[in-house]
Amino acid sequence: DSDGYFEYSAVFTNGTISEAFIDTDKNGVPDLHENYQNGKLVLCESGYSGTTGFYYYKEIFSDNKIEKYWDNNKDLKYEIYEKTLADGSMCSYFDINSDGIYDYMHEGIENGSYDVYTLNSDRTKKQKIKNTLIDKYGIDNVMKVFVVTDNKNTDNENFNETILTKEALQISK
């Protein structure tokens, strides 16, 4: 277009793409970054903060897994980490109190079954809690608390996410 900004720029090494920058909102600042190895996409980052130089979301691709990271409250720490393996199994890690340490792990497989655990500081499983918080509040509400850090977004107006968040924090100690 004619606004004077490049919406897409790419870096080539020996004739093969190695990096790309995309300005999706056309403000002159690339907010999407892609990194390639041997012409294959291995990293995609978005939500760039020009003041911190930090991307609030990223995906890392390899032959046997995809890893995703989210920084929902923009404190430069990823509150959610998700790993999906080639066989369809996945693990999601949640830092619900934004201290940089993952508190919970949601472990699922392709057929839809899952388990939820509290975690030790080294990410080892501490306590299986599938039958505590999830049976009490339902998986959709529990996952909303883990994913939405402002405790305001729910489809059930009668559901109080603040109470669940406090209970989840107590269980993770």
Side-chain angles (χ1 to χ4, degrees):
D1 60 29
S2 60
D3 62 6
Y5 295 115
F6 288 101
E7 279 79 32
Y8 180 84
S9 65
V11 177
F12 290 84
T13 305
N14 297 326
T16 304
I17 190 167
S18 59
E19 206 168 16
F21 298 91
I22 304 166
D23 178 9
T24 61
D25 55 10
K26 299 181 180 185
N27 68 352
V29 177
D31 47 4
L32 183 69
H33 170 247
E34 298 175 337
N35 197 325
Y36 296 81
Q37 289 180 354
N38 300 320
K40 185 176 179 182
L41 181 64
V42 294
L43 171 70
C44 183
E45 301 172 297
S46 67
Y48 181 72
S49 167
T51 56
T52 64
F54 186 81
Y55 288 92
Y56 298 116
Y57 175 75
K58 71 178 176 179
E59 293 184 11
I60 301 171
F61 305 93
S62 66
D63 290 336
N64 62 347
K65 66 183 172 188
I66 298 172
E67 297 175 281
K68 300 177 182 182
Y69 297 82
W70 290 265
D71 178 9
N72 287 342
N73 62 3
K74 299 183 178 180
D75 66 351
L76 309 182
K77 298 176 197 162
Y78 292 111
E79 287 83 30
I80 303 169
Y81 164 63
E82 180 180 288
K83 175 174 60 175
T84 304
L85 301 178
D87 67 2
S89 61
M90 58 81 66
C91 286
S92 298
Y93 295 86
F94 302 93
D95 174 11
I96 64 170
N97 58 358
S98 298
D99 63 357
I101 300 170
Y102 293 110
D103 305 295
Y104 288 90
M105 179 184 75
H106 174 265
E107 187 175 61
I109 55 176
E110 197 171 82
N111 71 5
S113 64
Y114 61 88
D115 285 313
V116 177
Y117 299 90
T118 58
L119 297 174
N120 295 308
S121 60
D122 64 354
R123 289 193 194 173
T124 57
K125 296 174 187 176
K126 182 168 138 182
Q127 176 187 358
K128 188 173 180 178
I129 62 159
K130 180 177 177 181
N131 297 326
T132 54
L133 293 178
I134 293 173
D135 287 349
K136 187 173 181 179
Y137 295 105
I139 185 64
D140 291 337
N141 287 324
V142 171
M143 295 306 285
K144 282 178 190 174
V145 167
F146 291 169
V147 173
V148 180
T149 58
D150 63 7
N151 294 329
K152 294 178 186 169
N153 187 7
T154 183
D155 295 331
N156 181 353
E157 293 177 12
N158 297 320
F159 176 71
N160 186 333
E161 290 185 5
T162 304
I163 292 172
L164 171 55
T165 301
K166 287 178 182 174
E167 190 171 335
L169 286 169
Q170 288 173 344
I171 290 174
S172 70
K173 291 180 180 176

